[in-house]
Coordinates of all heavy atoms in Angstrom, one line a residue:
V1 N 17.8 -47.1 5.0 CA 18.8 -46.8 4.0 C 20.2 -47.4 4.5 O 20.7 -47.1 5.5 CB 19.0 -45.3 3.9 CG1 20.1 -44.9 2.9 CG2 17.7 -44.7 3.4
V2 N 20.7 -48.3 3.6 CA 22.0 -49.0 4.0 C 23.2 -48.1 3.6 O 24.1 -47.9 4.4 CB 22.0 -50.3 3.2 CG1 23.4 -51.0 3.6 CG2 20.9 -51.2 3.6
E3 N 23.2 -47.5 2.4 CA 24.2 -46.7 1.9 C 23.7 -45.4 1.5 O 23.1 -45.2 0.3 CB 25.0 -47.3 0.8 CG 25.7 -48.6 1.2 CD 26.5 -49.2 0.0 OE1 26.4 -48.6 -1.1 OE2 27.2 -50.2 0.2
P4 N 23.6 -44.4 2.3 CA 23.0 -43.1 2.0 C 23.8 -42.4 0.9 O 24.9 -41.8 1.1 CB 23.1 -42.3 3.3 CG 24.2 -42.9 4.1 CD 24.2 -44.4 3.7
H5 N 23.3 -42.5 -0.4 CA 24.0 -41.8 -1.5 C 23.6 -40.4 -1.6 O 22.5 -40.0 -1.1 CB 23.7 -42.6 -2.8 CG 22.2 -42.6 -3.1 ND1 21.4 -43.5 -2.5 CD2 21.4 -41.9 -3.9 CE1 20.1 -43.3 -2.9 NE2 20.1 -42.3 -3.8
A6 N 24.4 -39.6 -2.2 CA 24.1 -38.1 -2.4 C 24.1 -37.3 -1.1 O 23.7 -36.2 -1.1 CB 22.8 -37.9 -3.2
V7 N 24.4 -38.0 0.0 CA 24.5 -37.3 1.3 C 25.7 -37.7 2.0 O 26.0 -38.9 2.1 CB 23.2 -37.6 2.1 CG1 23.3 -36.8 3.4 CG2 21.9 -37.2 1.4
H8 N 26.4 -36.7 2.6 CA 27.6 -37.0 3.3 C 27.2 -37.8 4.6 O 26.2 -37.6 5.2 CB 28.3 -35.7 3.8 CG 29.6 -36.0 4.3 ND1 29.8 -36.3 5.7 CD2 30.9 -35.9 3.8 CE1 31.1 -36.4 5.9 NE2 31.8 -36.2 4.8
P9 N 27.9 -38.9 5.0 CA 27.5 -39.7 6.1 C 27.3 -38.9 7.4 O 26.4 -39.2 8.1 CB 28.7 -40.7 6.3 CG 29.3 -40.8 4.9 CD 29.1 -39.4 4.3
R10 N 28.2 -37.9 7.6 CA 28.0 -37.1 8.8 C 26.6 -36.3 8.7 O 25.9 -36.2 9.7 CB 29.1 -36.1 8.9 CG 29.0 -35.1 10.1 CD 28.9 -35.7 11.4 NE 28.9 -34.8 12.5 CZ 28.6 -35.1 13.8 NH1 28.5 -36.3 14.1 NH2 28.6 -34.1 14.7
S11 N 26.3 -35.8 7.5 CA 25.1 -35.0 7.3 C 23.9 -36.0 7.5 O 22.8 -35.6 8.0 CB 25.1 -34.4 6.0 OG 26.1 -33.4 5.9
F12 N 24.1 -37.2 7.0 CA 23.0 -38.2 7.2 C 22.7 -38.5 8.6 O 21.5 -38.6 9.0 CB 23.4 -39.5 6.4 CG 22.2 -40.4 6.3 CD1 21.2 -40.2 5.4 CD2 22.2 -41.6 7.1 CE1 20.1 -41.2 5.3 CE2 21.2 -42.5 7.0 CZ 20.2 -42.3 6.1
E13 N 23.7 -38.6 9.4 CA 23.5 -38.8 10.9 C 22.8 -37.6 11.5 O 21.9 -37.8 12.3 CB 24.8 -39.1 11.6 CG 25.5 -40.4 11.2 CD 24.6 -41.6 11.6 OE1 23.9 -41.5 12.7 OE2 24.5 -42.6 10.8
L14 N 23.2 -36.4 11.1 CA 22.6 -35.2 11.7 C 21.1 -35.2 11.2 O 20.3 -34.7 12.0 CB 23.3 -34.0 11.2 CG 24.7 -33.8 11.8 CD1 25.4 -32.5 11.2 CD2 24.7 -33.7 13.3
L15 N 20.9 -35.6 10.0 CA 19.5 -35.7 9.5 C 18.6 -36.6 10.4 O 17.5 -36.2 10.7 CB 19.5 -36.1 8.1 CG 18.1 -36.1 7.3 CD1 17.6 -34.6 7.2 CD2 18.2 -36.7 6.0
K16 N 19.1 -37.7 10.8 CA 18.4 -38.6 11.6 C 18.2 -38.0 13.0 O 17.2 -38.2 13.6 CB 19.1 -40.0 11.7 CG 19.1 -40.7 10.4 CD 19.3 -42.2 10.6 CE 20.8 -42.5 10.9 NZ 21.1 -44.0 11.0
V17 N 19.2 -37.3 13.5 CA 19.1 -36.7 14.8 C 18.0 -35.6 14.8 O 17.2 -35.5 15.7 CB 20.5 -36.0 15.2 CG1 20.3 -35.1 16.4 CG2 21.5 -37.1 15.5
R18 N 18.0 -34.8 13.7 CA 17.0 -33.8 13.6 C 15.6 -34.4 13.5 O 14.6 -33.9 14.0 CB 17.3 -32.9 12.3 CG 16.3 -31.7 12.2 CD 16.7 -30.8 11.1 NE 18.0 -30.2 11.2 CZ 18.2 -29.0 11.9 NH1 17.1 -28.4 12.5 NH2 19.4 -28.5 12.0
S19 N 15.5 -35.5 12.8 CA 14.2 -36.2 12.6 C 13.7 -36.7 14.0 O 12.5 -36.5 14.3 CB 14.3 -37.4 11.7 OG 14.7 -37.0 10.4
R20 N 14.6 -37.2 14.8 CA 14.2 -37.7 16.1 C 13.9 -36.5 17.0 O 13.0 -36.6 17.9 CB 15.3 -38.5 16.8 CG 15.5 -39.9 16.1 CD 16.4 -40.8 16.9 NE 17.8 -40.3 17.0 CZ 18.8 -40.6 16.1 NH1 18.5 -41.5 15.2 NH2 20.0 -40.2 16.2
D21 N 14.5 -35.4 16.8 CA 14.2 -34.2 17.6 C 12.8 -33.7 17.3 O 12.0 -33.3 18.2 CB 15.2 -33.1 17.3 CG 15.0 -31.8 18.1 OD1 15.1 -31.8 19.3 OD2 14.6 -30.8 17.5
V22 N 12.4 -33.7 16.0 CA 11.1 -33.3 15.6 C 10.1 -34.2 16.2 O 9.0 -33.8 16.7 CB 11.0 -33.2 14.0 CG1 9.5 -33.1 13.6 CG2 11.8 -32.1 13.5
L23 N 10.4 -35.5 16.1 CA 9.5 -36.5 16.7 C 9.3 -36.3 18.2 O 8.1 -36.4 18.7 CB 10.0 -37.9 16.4 CG 9.1 -39.1 17.0 CD1 7.8 -39.1 16.4 CD2 9.8 -40.4 16.8
E24 N 10.3 -36.0 18.9 CA 10.2 -35.7 20.3 C 9.4 -34.5 20.6 O 8.6 -34.5 21.6 CB 11.7 -35.5 20.9 CG 11.7 -35.5 22.4 CD 11.6 -34.0 22.9 OE1 11.9 -33.1 22.2 OE2 11.1 -33.9 24.1
H25 N 9.5 -33.4 19.8 CA 8.6 -32.3 20.0 C 7.2 -32.6 19.7 O 6.3 -32.1 20.5 CB 9.1 -31.2 19.0 CG 10.4 -30.5 19.4 ND1 10.9 -29.4 18.8 CD2 11.2 -30.7 20.4 CE1 12.0 -29.0 19.4 NE2 12.2 -29.8 20.4
I26 N 6.9 -33.4 18.7 CA 5.5 -33.8 18.5 C 5.0 -34.6 19.6 O 3.8 -34.4 20.1 CB 5.4 -34.6 17.2 CG1 5.8 -33.7 16.0 CG2 4.0 -35.2 17.0 CD1 5.8 -34.5 14.7
E27 N 5.8 -35.5 20.2 CA 5.3 -36.3 21.3 C 5.1 -35.4 22.6 O 4.2 -35.7 23.3 CB 6.4 -37.4 21.7 CG 6.5 -38.5 20.6 CD 7.5 -39.5 20.9 OE1 8.4 -39.1 21.8 OE2 7.5 -40.6 20.4
R28 N 5.9 -34.3 22.7 CA 5.6 -33.4 23.8 C 4.2 -32.7 23.6 O 3.4 -32.5 24.5 CB 6.7 -32.3 23.8 CG 8.0 -32.8 24.5 CD 9.0 -31.7 24.3 NE 8.6 -30.4 24.8 CZ 9.2 -29.3 24.6 NH1 10.3 -29.3 23.8 NH2 8.8 -28.2 25.1
V29 N 3.9 -32.3 22.3 CA 2.6 -31.7 22.0 C 1.5 -32.7 22.3 O 0.5 -32.3 22.9 CB 2.6 -31.3 20.5 CG1 1.2 -30.8 20.2 CG2 3.6 -30.2 20.3
V30 N 1.7 -34.0 21.9 CA 0.6 -35.0 22.2 C 0.4 -35.1 23.7 O -0.7 -35.2 24.2 CB 1.0 -36.3 21.6 CG1 0.1 -37.5 22.0 CG2 1.1 -36.2 20.1
H31 N 1.5 -35.2 24.4 CA 1.4 -35.3 25.9 C 0.7 -34.1 26.5 O -0.2 -34.3 27.4 CB 2.8 -35.4 26.5 CG 2.9 -35.3 28.0 ND1 2.4 -36.4 28.8 CD2 3.3 -34.3 28.8 CE1 2.6 -36.0 30.1 NE2 3.1 -34.8 30.1
H32 N 1.0 -32.9 26.1 CA 0.4 -31.8 26.7 C -1.1 -31.7 26.3 O -2.0 -31.3 27.1 CB 1.1 -30.5 26.3 CG 2.4 -30.3 26.9 ND1 2.6 -30.3 28.3 CD2 3.7 -30.2 26.4 CE1 3.9 -30.2 28.6 NE2 4.6 -30.1 27.4

């Protein structure tokens, strides 16, 4: 997404942070 419309830029960055956090949790499950 080049220009995240309908979402505040700060909220969009937090959304990507939360997405990476979910991915990290899944990778922990895979590892265990």
Side-chain angles (χ1 to χ4, degrees):
V1 176
V2 179
E3 295 182 358
H5 58 282
V7 180
H8 192 275
R10 174 63 176 171
S11 300
F12 188 76
E13 290 299 322
L14 292 177
L15 186 64
K16 293 199 289 187
V17 170
R18 187 177 293 277
S19 300
R20 289 192 293 268
D21 180 69
V22 171
L23 179 63
E24 189 271 335
H25 284 187
I26 295 175
E27 289 177 343
R28 284 174 52 195
V29 175
V30 172
H31 171 73
H32 290 302

